[in-house]
């Protein structure tokens, strides 16, 4: 860790454990430099990082102050949703993104200019000319052995002992989530979701006819552990589907302490967890966050991920760490998609067998971090003060909180008229209570076109605030 990161980390702890309270003044840069023995520039970098994370704010000529904790705490009661109807909303939204003229600030896909690594394209070109690349038999479920071996090795590098037979290759992360949920549930079963979550999880629950209990987000920890325990005590929950790293859409990453507690609860109450971890590689810290699989001693966790956010969603390659459910999942695959594209599986083996991927990830992370900070700073200085831009140091989404009386669906509709998309919160939360958030994709370079789109967004927000 750099010295500025170490300082930011220890100051963050003082804020999180309430040693420093909201609106309390921080030591000046100079005082902090004297106290810590660090240079002024190191202290300034640490303060800027905390500011970018929304933990502190600055006032001209007065210094830095502790910010209010994020108000992402939603309705702190459990909600039961036994008839989910989100698919048609998502369908309309995804269709609206398809025009080639749209500026895709609402897209879930990262900017393709940053993906589709040239070395991978080179491997694709070479393999395209070899007939054996298309042979289907070696790629049938559970998928290409060499690819599963590489994925297993990546788990092992994180301290998660894994055998290639634990892994099933799927058509992207969404397929991994759907197959896992289908393997573990039957129509009418209770599952648990976070109240605000990637719409694919809601769609899967709708498709399978499941009853969904939701727990609210926690403003500091991301997940509300008390609500989690309350939910599993009150309802016969069979499976939880959670995102704990670089949460989509909000962005938080849950601490190891909380992950460990969740793992203990899963074991105690014998509940399966499907972990959606498709953003696992897009952390900005020095260290990759641990997945729930790391804390899972008794095989309650099915870990789902993909290459969509790092190499390209167009490849449609994901996987699930299925463990003992591998065969069950393969049965479902053989009745539906059959095999995942063999040619792409072969090309990924070729690409991942070298060090290209790590280099690519390093560049991708630092570019996304740079872009996201630029967007954050732009919103911070241009959005009206009634709005709050919520920043977490990972991924490529910003989550903007508008005044509570505003409807982000309306903002979305108005921006569409200008060929700009944003993602309104009703895509992620079906309770009809949290309609005043929007998700912004920050993976596009801040050129004139993007800046004009951000200006239009800001203008429309201001008009709606003043109405
Ligand atoms: C949280 C989350 N999970 C899963 C997926 C699906 O990933 P894939 O494109 O690999 O199917 C997405 C895609 O946007 C996502 O945001």
């Amino acid at each position: 860790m750099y010295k500025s990161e170490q300082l930011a980390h220890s100051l963050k702890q003082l804020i999180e454990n309430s040693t420093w309270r909201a609106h309390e003044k921080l030591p000046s840069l100079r005082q902090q430099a004297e106290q810590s023995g660090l240079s002024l520039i190191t202290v300034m970098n640490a303060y800027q990082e905390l500011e970018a994370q929304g933990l502190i704010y600055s006032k001209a000529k007065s210094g830095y102050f502790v910010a209010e904790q994020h108000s992402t705490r939603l309705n702190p009661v459990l909600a039961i949703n036994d008839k989910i109807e989100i698919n048609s909303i998502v369908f309309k939204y995804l269709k609206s993104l398809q025009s080639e003229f749209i500026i895709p600030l609402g897209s879930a896909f990262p900017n393709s200019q940053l993906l589709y690594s040239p070395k991978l394209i080179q491997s694709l070109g070479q393999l395209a000319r070899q007939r054996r690349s298309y042979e289907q038999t070696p790629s049938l479920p559970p998928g290409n052995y060499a690819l599963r071996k590489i994925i297993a090795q990546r788990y092992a590098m994180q301290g998660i002992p894994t055998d290639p037979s634990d892994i099933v290759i799927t058509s992207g992360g969404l397929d991994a989530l759907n197959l896992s949920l289908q393997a573990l549930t039957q129509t009418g079963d209770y599952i648990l979701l976070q109240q605000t979550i990637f719409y694919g999880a809601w769609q899967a629950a709708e498709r399978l006819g499941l009853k969904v209990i939701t727990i609210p987000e926690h403003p500091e920890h991301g997940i509300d552990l008390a609500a989690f325990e309350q939910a599993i005590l009150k309802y016969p929950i069979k499976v939880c589907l959670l995102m704990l790293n670089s949460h989509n859409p909000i962005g938080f990453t849950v601490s190891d302490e909380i992950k460990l507690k969740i793992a203990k609860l899963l074991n105690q109450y014998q509940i399966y967890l499907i972990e959606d971890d498709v953003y696992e590689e897009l952390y900005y810290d020095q260290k990759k966050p641990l997945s729930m699989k790391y804390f899972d001693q008794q095989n309650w966790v099915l870990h789902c991920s993909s290459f969509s956010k790092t190499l390209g969603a167009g490849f449609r390659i994901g996987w699930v760490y299925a463990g003992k459910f591998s065969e069950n999942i393969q049965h479902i695959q053989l009745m539906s998609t059959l095999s995942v594209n063999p040619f792409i599986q072969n090309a990924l083996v070729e690409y991942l067998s070298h060090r290209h991927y790590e280099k690519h990830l390093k560049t991708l992370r630092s570019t996304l971090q740079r872009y996201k900070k630029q967007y954050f700073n732009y919103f911070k200085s241009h959005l009206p003060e009634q709005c709050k831009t919520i920043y977490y140091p990972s991924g490529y989404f910003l989550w903007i909180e508008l005044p509570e009386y505003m409807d982000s669906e309306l903002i979305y509709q108005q921006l569409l008229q200008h060929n700009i998309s944003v993602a309104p919160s009703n895509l992620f939360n079906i309770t009809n209570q949290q309609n005043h958030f929007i998700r912004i994709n920050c993976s596009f370079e801040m050129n004139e076109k993007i800046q004009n789109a951000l200006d239009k967004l800001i203008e429309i927000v201001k008009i709606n605030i003043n109405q």
Side-chain angles (χ1 to χ4, degrees), residues 108 171-174 177 198 243 248 276 278-279 306 308-309 313 316:
S171 296
L174 188 58
L177 295 175
F198 166 57
M243 266 201 91
N248 174 13
D276 181 353
V278 297
Y279 297 87
S306 78
S308 298
K309 309 297 175 186
R316 307 308 305 137

Side-chain angles (χ1 to χ4, degrees), residues 107-119:
S107 167
F109 303 126
N111 175 4
S112 60
Q113 301 292 327
L114 306 179
L115 309 182
Y116 302 97
S117 139
K119 290 274 186 211

Side-chain angles (χ1 to χ4, degrees), residues 225 228-229 232 261-270:
L225 210 53
F228 180 75
E229 193 161 9
I232 54 186
K261 286 182 186 157
I262 295 174
K264 284 189 176 154
L265 288 170
L266 295 173
N267 197 23
Q268 185 180 347
Y269 294 99
Q270 315 229 317

Side-chain angles (χ1 to χ4, degrees), residues 191-195 197 201-202 205 212-215 240-242:
I191 65 162
L192 181 141
L193 297 183
Q194 286 148 305
Q195 197 167 39
I197 189 75
W202 290 111
V212 178
I213 306 297
T214 50
I215 52 163
C240 308
L241 194 162
L242 300 176

